[in-house]
Amino acid sequence: MVKVKEQPVKSGETSQPLGLDIQLGRILYQCMHDRDMAASDLKAELTNLRTDKRHKAKLRVRAHPCTRRCSACPHPVFQALYPDKSVERLSGFSPQLRALGYHRNLQEITQYAQLIDFNESLARKIGALTNLASRRSFELFQDMQTYLDDTSLKAVLPTFYPPDPIGPAYLLGFSCLAFTVERCNELLRALQDHIYQYSSGTIHTRYHKTKQGVLGLKIEHEGRNPFIPADLRWAIYLRGHDRQWFSSRKAIFQNRYQDGAPPKIVLIRNTPWVLTRTGNRRHIPFYQAAQRHLRSISTFRSRIISLSNRLTKDATLILKCHRERGVQAPIKYLVVRQKPKTPEDAIQLITRNK
């Protein structure tokens, strides 16, 4: 079997979006190459079959594009053409061929048909997965841009726009998802800056300085996973002894009306109870509007995480299937039983049956 020489991927590239796209692209090219070679050999084998009256249908191989025009097009199909012009798709197993009246050279036909099915199935999975990831990333990117245009949040201009999934180019699913994740992180930073600008310009002490106890958003887990957006949590900002600001997700409240009561440790949340006891009662409408923005952005984040989990899971299964296939003994093409007349014919036979 003719195999495509795979270039080794450098260490550290497999965990990056482009490295994963390159790996899936190589597997796709390998599967398409092996599939087309097996389809060509199956056509040659069917051409050499002798006509027999017991044959109930004519065997053929046809290639046709799918409705989505995926990266694995065109797709070869092993079919049986009946005298009434009806077509049946065949799996290539011996009992199915014997039922159609074929009893010779079944091993070769079954071997080529199974090779076509395996590579076609893997190529379809890669094409459908990259198509889904690129299309969903494009839709999420557009929805976030529409949300930014409809609100007063100000984010930096994107450095990359995901490609339109309708086109002849090979789709880079992981790369498109990574750029969409980065755009979601920029949307989170825009909301964080919006709250900071309001707090520093409005919430002041009597000496026109920024008041302690303001609530803000703290970005967590940014950059830890290129396929998962960062997480935002509400925190309270205070000034320490060295006049440096620090954030805390917990606060200690003492009930002044109960003598001897132990202090209460409360997790900081954007609720009227917390806002009132941190001295931000006058700014409850602003924080409620910020909470609505955070809910909208969290919806985008949940959709991205769902797409990331599906893409990562399916890609892992594809890589595992390809790895297990490489462990198995490769299927060898049968040697054509003919004597070469020239050295060029001998070289072609050797190359064909490696």
Side-chain angles (χ1 to χ4, degrees):
M1 182 177 65
V2 179
K3 299 189 68 176
V4 180
K5 185 178 181 181
E6 295 187 3
Q7 298 179 359
V9 182
K10 297 181 180 179
S11 60
E13 289 186 359
T14 55
S15 60
Q16 298 300 323
L18 188 58
L20 292 171
D21 287 328
I22 291 175
Q23 207 167 8
L24 283 180
R26 290 174 179 171
I27 296 175
L28 176 63
Y29 182 79
Q30 175 73 49
C31 293
M32 293 178 64
H33 182 273
D34 295 345
R35 179 196 65 184
D36 295 341
M37 290 292 296
S40 177
D41 292 336
L42 181 57
K43 287 181 181 179
E45 189 68 31
L46 295 178
T47 304
N48 297 331
L49 288 179
R50 297 180 181 179
T51 57
D52 196 336
K53 295 181 181 180
R54 294 177 296 178
H55 294 171
K56 300 179 182 179
K58 180 181 179 181
L59 303 181
R60 67 178 187 179
V61 179
R62 290 291 184 269
H64 60 86
C66 61
T67 56
R68 295 183 178 181
R69 303 286 179 174
C70 67
S71 306
C73 287
H75 306 281
V77 181
F78 184 34
Q79 299 175 341
L81 179 62
Y82 290 93
D84 58 350
K85 303 301 181 182
S86 61
V87 179
E88 179 186 2
R89 184 170 182 175
L90 302 178
S91 59
F93 291 104
S94 299
Q96 194 177 28
L97 297 176
R98 290 193 181 95
L100 295 175
Y102 292 88
H103 302 277
R104 295 181 179 179
N105 301 331
L106 297 185
Q107 182 180 1
E108 294 85 347
I109 297 176
T110 302
Q111 191 177 25
Y112 296 142
Q114 291 179 355
L115 190 59
I116 291 175
D117 287 344
F118 178 82
N119 289 285
E120 172 63 17
S121 175
L122 204 57
R124 275 183 177 270
K125 289 180 180 179
I126 297 175
L129 181 62
T130 53
N131 187 12
L132 173 67
S134 301
R135 181 167 49 83
R136 293 282 179 83
S137 300
F138 184 71
E139 293 173 356
L140 281 167
F141 194 91
Q142 284 184 323
D143 293 343
M144 286 189 290
Q145 286 297 119
T146 303
Y147 178 78
L148 278 175
D149 296 338
D150 296 340
T151 59
S152 58
L153 300 180
K154 296 181 181 180
V156 297
L157 294 176
T159 57
F160 174 82
Y161 290 89
D164 192 340
I166 301 176
Y170 176 71
L171 304 176
L172 304 176
F174 285 98
S175 298
C176 293
L177 178 60
F179 283 112
T180 305
V181 169
E182 179 60 28
R183 192 56 181 167
C184 184
N185 292 338
E186 292 173 357
L187 189 58
L188 295 175
R189 287 192 290 268
L191 179 58
Q192 186 186 40
D193 293 340
H194 176 67
I195 298 175
Y196 170 76
Q197 293 295 335
Y198 179 85
S199 301
S200 61
T202 306
I203 307 178
H204 290 164
T205 63
R206 67 178 64 180
Y207 303 106
H208 298 286
K209 292 184 179 180
T210 303
K211 184 180 178 181
Q212 295 192 67
V214 297
L215 267 65
L217 288 174
K218 183 179 180 181
I219 297 180
E220 297 180 349
H221 310 303
E222 184 179 6
R224 177 177 295 184
N225 189 341
F227 308 118
I228 300 295
D231 194 9
L232 280 184
R233 300 295 178 89
W234 287 103
I236 186 172
Y237 285 84
L238 303 170
R239 185 175 291 176
H241 299 289
D242 53 353
R243 312 299 295 174
Q244 296 292 329
W245 288 91
F246 69 95
S247 64
S248 175
R249 293 194 56 206
K250 296 180 180 179
I252 301 176
F253 292 99
Q254 182 73 42
N255 193 343
R256 67 177 69 179
Y257 301 105
Q258 294 181 2
D259 296 336
K264 185 179 182 180
I265 301 178
V266 180
L267 184 66
I268 296 300
R269 296 179 181 177
N270 191 349
T271 60
W273 189 90
V274 175
L275 293 173
T276 301
R277 280 154 183 80
T278 54
N280 298 294
R281 183 176 181 180
R282 297 172 53 188
H283 310 285
I284 288 180
F286 170 78
Y287 282 109
Q288 288 179 343
Q291 184 67 23
R292 288 192 294 269
H293 283 303
L294 183 59
R295 289 197 194 100
S296 301
I297 299 176
S298 298
T299 303
F300 295 133
R301 185 175 182 274
S302 301
R303 292 169 60 188
I304 293 175
I305 291 176
S306 177
L307 177 61
S308 175
N309 292 337
R310 179 171 181 180
L311 178 61
T312 306
K313 180 181 178 181
D314 292 351
T316 303
L317 293 177
I318 291 173
L319 294 176
K320 182 180 178 181
C321 182
H322 180 71
R323 215 174 284 118
E324 291 177 352
R325 173 211 180 190
V327 174
Q328 298 174 358
I331 301 176
K332 296 183 179 181
Y333 290 97
L334 299 178
V335 179
V336 181
R337 298 184 179 279
Q338 59 181 6
K339 295 182 179 180
K341 299 180 180 180
T342 61
E344 289 77 8
D345 296 337
I347 294 175
Q348 290 181 2
L349 289 177
I350 294 174
T351 305
R352 177 185 175 86
N353 296 282
K354 280 185 178 181

